[in-house]
Amino acid sequence: MNPLILALDQGTSSSRAIIFNKAQEALATFSQTIKCKYPQSGWVEQDANEIWSSQLACLQGVLRSAKVNLSDITGIGVTNQRETIIAWDKVTSKPLGPAIVWQCRRTIKICQGLKEKGLEPTFKNKTGLLLDPYFSGTKMRWLLENNPDVAQAATEGRLAFGTVDSWLIWNLTGGKLHVTDASNASRTLLFNIKSGQWDAELLGILQIPLESLPTVVDSSGQIGVTDQVVGGVIPIAGICGDQQAALFGQCCFEVAQVKNTYGTGCFMLANTGTRPITSHNNLLTTVAWQIDGVTHYALEGSVFIAGALIQWLRDQLGLFTQAKDTEAMALSVENSEGVFVVPAFVGLGAPHWDATARGAILGLTAQANKNHIVRAALEAIAYQATELLHSMEKDMGAVVKSIRVDGGAAQNGFLCQFQADLTGCDVALPEQTEATALGAALLAGLALGVWESKEEIQKLWRQKHLYKPTITRPKAEKLMAGWGRAVERSKNWVE
């Protein structure tokens, strides 16, 4: 019988479940949207119970869609939105407040305070990360300071902190397992990526109790089984943060291979092998995955707003009804008429790391219409990704010749072509664009013997379309210079 792997893909805007076969084909998909709440400017929250209930509904829904039973599933792989933090009670399994989403900027003052104490080099040296509200550690500190239920649970030894993968697995196993994998742990500001352990010094600085944190396990390995809450006992054998999972799903197993995911945000990762490369260009050094105790690393550039910009143009400005309409709109005009859109809705991520920046539409004239704005928005996604690539090439001392792309916006031909033009790289779109879920499935299947090796997995990767650069380097540099001027105008907006 053809083995089946179930991938649970819990993202910022939706929970999803996909069943893959040994040929890496998606046999069935089921998704459910989830809501974000914005209680104050710059704050982003989600209902932790909704995260779990929606993911459970997707698990059940995809089995119905595929017309299979849970007992037909060989194993489960979990992938998730990273840095989002949830606090819950170990005794009751109830969340102690809303999930604080990765996009949330409420911990700016905590980060600034740590920087003023000269602690950023300590965090960067040990974790590969910068002191930014993006990461989980300062969110935990904020909850301990501002949520009495969290503080009391910590005092009484009942507190569990976890990123979304930990929360899902806690519920999948009926509260038996409090675990995370090395890729997710590496996004917390608390995990020493060189020693592979929670770091006592960093825990002390942020005053996070060690007993509240999950056990760190391999990204690929049999960590436990599901509880009857999901209808049966199935091995959970893969865990990986969504962007690292996409790197694995794109089969970027060699050093300097690069993938770019166009999702809510835009995340570019380059495999750097078994040695971490310290970035000197404001990128992050992160764990890519850990298999059989061996850690592989990546350089990462994180853009906070990509697909979310297209959502905003649709939902808030009403410029179109469906995201797929944007390609035709962009191609209906010769250029963006000098318009630049800087989507700094929650500040700027890599390589700028400016939490005070805010969004802007610049260069407007009376000739500009909605098609120019839509084109400029798609271009903005590519501009941001190009900045990341240039930083990566400097850090690695290598020229990248090809980028493998995935995510919803990777289906937009205009965006992919413009990306190729700006970077001067080939942009490869795979046949299987569900790279994040596929990565989780591959990691689980690797542990369970569905695939014997990464070499076997690599042979199954197929290219659907290749976009090649069509403009000169001087023209690309001129476009990037215009983008640079626009970005500078958006900075330091919030005092």
Side-chain angles (χ1 to χ4, degrees):
M1 182 179 174
N2 191 1
L4 303 177
I5 299 290
L6 171 58
L8 302 181
D9 181 1
Q10 205 298 304
T12 315
S13 56
S14 68
S15 294
R16 311 177 74 220
I18 303 178
I19 294 175
F20 292 95
N21 63 15
K22 187 176 172 66
Q24 300 180 19
E25 297 165 329
L27 301 186
T29 301
F30 196 95
S31 65
Q32 189 169 308
T33 58
I34 61 172
K35 296 176 182 176
C36 283
K37 298 174 184 176
Y38 308 92
Q40 295 185 32
S41 176
W43 287 32
V44 190
E45 296 177 349
Q46 287 180 327
D47 184 328
N49 284 323
E50 184 185 6
I51 289 174
W52 162 238
S53 63
S54 64
Q55 192 62 74
L56 179 60
C58 290
L59 183 157
Q60 295 164 339
V62 79
L63 293 173
R64 290 194 303 272
S65 296
K67 297 180 180 177
V68 299
N69 298 315
L70 190 63
S71 58
D72 297 321
I73 301 298
T74 305
I76 292 175
V78 176
T79 185
N80 57 285
Q81 54 168 311
R82 305 168 306 167
E83 297 94 17
T84 295
I85 200 70
I86 299 165
W88 69 92
D89 188 316
K90 290 178 181 177
V91 177
T92 66
S93 294
K94 292 183 178 178
L96 298 169
I100 301 181
V101 177
W102 58 273
Q103 294 166 318
C104 188
R105 312 304 286 171
R106 74 183 65 187
T107 65
I108 286 175
K109 288 184 179 178
I110 295 175
C111 293
Q112 287 174 339
L114 294 168
K115 288 178 184 178
E116 287 165 6
K117 291 177 182 177
L119 290 168
E120 186 160 53
T122 300
F123 279 92
K124 184 175 181 181
N125 180 53
K126 292 187 173 196
T127 70
L129 309 177
L130 303 171
L131 284 172
D132 187 88
Y134 178 26
F135 305 109
S136 311
T138 57
K139 295 177 172 70
M140 296 183 209
R141 179 70 250 147
W142 187 93
L143 283 167
L144 286 162
E145 291 178 359
N146 293 278
N147 185 321
D149 292 337
V150 172
Q152 185 174 350
T155 301
E156 297 175 1
R158 295 181 289 106
L159 175 63
F161 273 132
T163 42
V164 169
D165 58 311
S166 297
W167 173 239
L168 293 179
I169 292 169
W170 177 273
N171 284 286
L172 285 166
T173 62
K176 293 183 182 68
L177 284 178
H178 186 206
V179 298
T180 189
D181 88 299
S183 73
N184 278 294
S186 75
R187 313 296 294 186
T188 61
L189 281 174
L190 303 173
F191 186 73
N192 189 314
I193 61 172
K194 296 168 186 173
S195 70
Q197 305 286 332
W198 296 119
D199 191 277
E201 182 184 8
L202 302 181
L203 290 171
I205 292 169
L206 287 171
Q207 297 178 282
I208 308 296
L210 175 61
E211 58 272 19
S212 69
L213 297 176
T215 300
V216 181
V217 299
D218 278 354
S219 309
S220 177
Q222 296 191 50
I223 63 150
V225 296
T226 58
D227 184 76
Q228 287 297 333
V229 68
V230 300
V233 176
I234 301 296
I236 301 170
I239 318 171
C240 203
D242 54 7
Q243 301 312 319
Q244 292 97 323
L247 188 70
F248 200 88
Q250 286 277 33
C251 299
C252 293
F253 302 144
E254 302 298 322
V255 172
Q257 281 191 304
V258 173
K259 75 89 195 175
N260 194 34
T261 298
Y262 303 97
T264 301
C266 182
F267 300 88
M268 184 177 287
L269 273 72
N271 187 334
T272 64
T274 53
R275 72 181 183 97
I277 292 179
T278 299
S279 176
H280 300 288
N281 293 279
N282 289 327
L283 299 178
L284 308 174
T285 306
T286 196
V287 171
W289 49 76
Q290 183 176 298
I291 300 175
D292 295 330
V294 177
T295 302
H296 288 253
Y297 298 91
L299 278 172
E300 176 175 334
S302 311
V303 166
F304 297 148
I305 301 294
L309 172 59
I310 306 306
Q311 275 185 312
W312 179 76
L313 293 176
R314 181 193 66 197
D315 300 340
Q316 303 298 331
L317 299 191
L319 298 189
F320 46 86
T321 56
Q322 296 184 74
K324 65 180 181 180
D325 299 337
T326 58
E327 182 173 358
M329 293 175 74
L331 291 170
S332 73
V333 290
E334 255 185 67
N335 52 53
S336 61
E337 195 62 36
V339 175
F340 288 91
V341 177
V342 183
F345 296 160
V346 289
L348 290 167
H352 305 281
W353 297 109
D354 185 346
T356 68
R358 284 299 177 265
I361 301 177
L362 299 155
L364 290 169
T365 65
Q367 282 72 42
N369 60 37
K370 66 180 182 180
N371 295 323
H372 295 111
I373 293 171
V374 166
R375 180 173 176 131
L378 290 170
E379 290 177 347
I381 297 171
Y383 282 128
Q384 292 177 105
T386 302
E387 287 183 311
L388 301 180
L389 186 74
H390 288 166
S391 295
M392 277 180 184
E393 289 179 325
K394 290 174 187 174
D395 280 334
M396 293 190 296
V399 175
V400 175
K401 296 182 179 179
S402 177
I403 305 170
R404 293 183 175 184
V405 296
D406 55 81
Q411 305 297 331
N412 189 301
F414 170 81
L415 172 60
C416 289
Q417 184 59 59
F418 193 69
Q419 189 72 84
D421 289 342
L422 284 181
T423 59
C425 293
D426 291 347
V427 170
L429 179 71
E431 283 187 4
Q432 180 51 266
T433 55
E434 297 286 1
T436 300
L438 177 60
L442 294 173
L443 286 163
L446 194 61
L448 296 167
V450 174
W451 298 283
E452 294 297 327
S453 65
K454 288 189 286 188
E455 288 73 26
E456 182 185 352
I457 289 170
Q458 172 71 62
K459 288 176 183 176
L460 294 168
W461 189 89
R462 296 286 184 272
Q463 180 176 289
K464 182 179 180 180
H465 194 85
L466 188 68
Y467 297 87
K468 300 186 80 67
T470 59
I471 66 173
T472 64
R473 289 302 85 210
K475 184 173 181 181
E477 289 165 8
K478 184 177 180 181
L479 288 167
M480 287 302 299
W483 166 253
R485 289 193 299 273
V487 168
E488 288 306 310
R489 300 274 180 96
S490 77
K491 290 183 176 179
N492 301 310
W493 196 265
V494 179
E495 293 183 0

